Amino acid sequence: MPPRVVVVSRRSERDELLAQHGTRAAAGYYLGQRGRDLADIEARHDAVRAALTVVEAAVPADWRRGYVDRDDLARFPFAPEDIVLAVGQDGLVANVAKYLDGQPVIGVDPEPGRNAGVLVRFAPTAVARLLPLVAAGRAPIRCRTMVRAVLDDGQELLGLNEIYAGHPSHQSARYLLSTGDGRRERQSSSGLVVGTGTGATGWCASIARERAAAPALPAPDEPALCWFVREAWPSPSTGAALTAGRLGPGETLELVAERERLVVFADGLEQDHLTLAWGQRLTIGLADRRLHLVEPVGQHETARASRPDR
């Protein structure tokens, strides 16, 4: 049976504006009142549509196809033989990663020069050449570390960049934090962020720049995580000594909620979250799964030209 190519995309800013305002004229007026031009947003919309057209035409006629919007990822049934094409910004690759289990992902950049290109490494025109190589197991693959959070009732969440645990509106969260080496501290903070090497170029990098003695940030394929407590508040009942560190294989952080309705979400997708009630325990560590990202030839010495085992 031929492989299935699943194209992942998200609604453009233009589509979101039309959904909110109803007509192009109304959207244009709304933007004009704020000093913005609809033409620029439409140009970006057209660039994404053009990229999708090129990508869809690159899929061999006898291969199966699937399409999914980012908002529907949690409900989409990915199959083991799928090849995933994420067409959009780098964050789209992170959004799809936690729903996969070893399927190779090709990140396609529809707007070279606008995106950082950390995870979307290919132009749309490269897809026709890449698909046969990926299907044959001859494309370089880099396995990127992921982070996993598990509640004491068995619910779990995976992230490619980072996992956040704290108050849903980033106000003070109260909890008991425990490290694998036996240290414990009751804290009141703006939340806990646990990141991977991929996420070390984003949120964790921003936090680390503000710390005088931040832990070394891991590489994307390194089996290690970094963690930071945001704005820990010292008081007679809460401390601020355990605020940063690293986790290796087999090491975990444990957080026990000491107020109602703390949330846990990954990679900025706040709508897809876990909720902690008072007294619930959350454990965070390395995930068994990794993102299998197709890389340009020669980009990294650890990229291997084969389809990795799941």
Side-chain angles (χ1 to χ4, degrees), residues 177 179 192-194 225-229 242-247 253:
L177 183 68
T179 62
L192 172 71
V193 178
V194 184
L225 304 171
C226 55
W227 60 270
F228 299 93
V229 175
L242 299 181
T243 59
R246 280 173 60 105
L247 299 174
L253 281 178

Side-chain angles (χ1 to χ4, degrees), residues 17-308:
L17 283 167
L18 291 180
Q20 180 179 357
H21 298 284
T23 67
R24 182 183 181 280
Y29 176 79
Y30 172 83
L31 290 175
Q33 293 295 103
R34 289 154 180 80
R36 296 191 64 190
D37 189 354
L38 183 60
D40 179 61
I41 292 172
E42 288 187 322
R44 298 192 64 187
H45 170 85
D46 292 343
V48 174
R49 294 311 309 170
L52 288 169
T53 299
V54 171
V55 164
E56 291 163 6
V59 181
D62 60 337
W63 287 22
R64 295 170 297 142
R65 303 164 187 242
Y67 302 91
V68 58
D69 184 85
R70 186 190 71 161
D71 292 342
D72 298 322
L73 283 169
R75 297 180 292 275
F76 188 84
F78 287 99
E81 71 276 9
D82 287 344
I83 298 172
V84 179
L85 292 174
V87 183
Q89 298 177 342
D90 290 313
L92 187 63
V93 176
N95 295 156
V96 73
K98 64 181 179 179
Y99 302 107
L100 303 178
D101 188 9
Q103 295 90 337
V105 179
I106 301 173
V108 180
D109 187 352
E111 301 177 276
R114 276 189 178 269
N115 299 318
V118 175
L119 300 175
V120 287
R121 310 296 302 276
F122 296 98
T125 52
V127 172
R129 171 183 57 83
L130 281 171
L131 285 177
L133 294 175
V134 175
R138 293 189 288 112
I141 300 254
R142 187 176 190 181
C143 297
R144 288 179 174 249
T145 297
M146 298 183 69
V147 55
R148 176 176 179 252
V150 186
L151 283 179
D152 52 13
D153 61 6
Q155 296 183 79
E156 71 171 23
L157 192 65
L158 299 178
L160 176 64
N161 288 324
E162 69 277 313
I163 280 178
Y164 166 84
H167 191 276
S169 62
H170 299 257
Q171 299 177 25
S172 294
R174 295 183 68 93
Y175 53 85
L176 177 64
L177 183 68
S178 302
T179 62
D181 58 6
R183 293 178 295 164
R184 305 176 73 191
E185 185 172 68
R186 182 164 282 105
Q187 295 183 340
S188 175
S189 78
S190 298
L192 172 71
V193 178
V194 184
T196 67
T198 300
T201 62
W203 197 357
C204 286
S206 297
I207 300 174
R209 279 195 293 268
E210 299 174 353
R211 303 292 175 95
L217 301 179
D221 51 4
E222 184 181 354
L225 304 171
C226 55
W227 60 270
F228 299 93
V229 175
R230 301 170 61 224
E231 302 170 323
W233 177 255
S235 74
S237 60
T238 59
L242 299 181
T243 59
R246 280 173 60 105
L247 299 174
E251 297 178 331
T252 60
L253 281 178
E254 183 180 281
L255 182 153
V256 178
E258 293 193 342
R259 68 170 295 173
E260 285 294 327
R261 201 175 177 274
L262 299 185
V263 298
V264 185
F265 61 81
D267 301 332
L269 280 179
E270 297 187 36
Q271 64 271 29
D272 184 8
H273 66 268
L274 306 178
T275 302
L276 284 79
W278 207 104
Q280 273 199 289
R281 182 177 67 255
L282 177 74
T283 304
I284 305 176
L286 287 163
D288 292 332
R289 298 184 195 178
R290 294 185 292 171
L291 170 67
H292 294 173
L293 186 68
V294 178
E295 293 275 317
V297 175
Q299 287 294 309
H300 195 272
E301 65 274 12
T302 64
R304 54 196 179 122
S306 65
R307 185 162 182 170

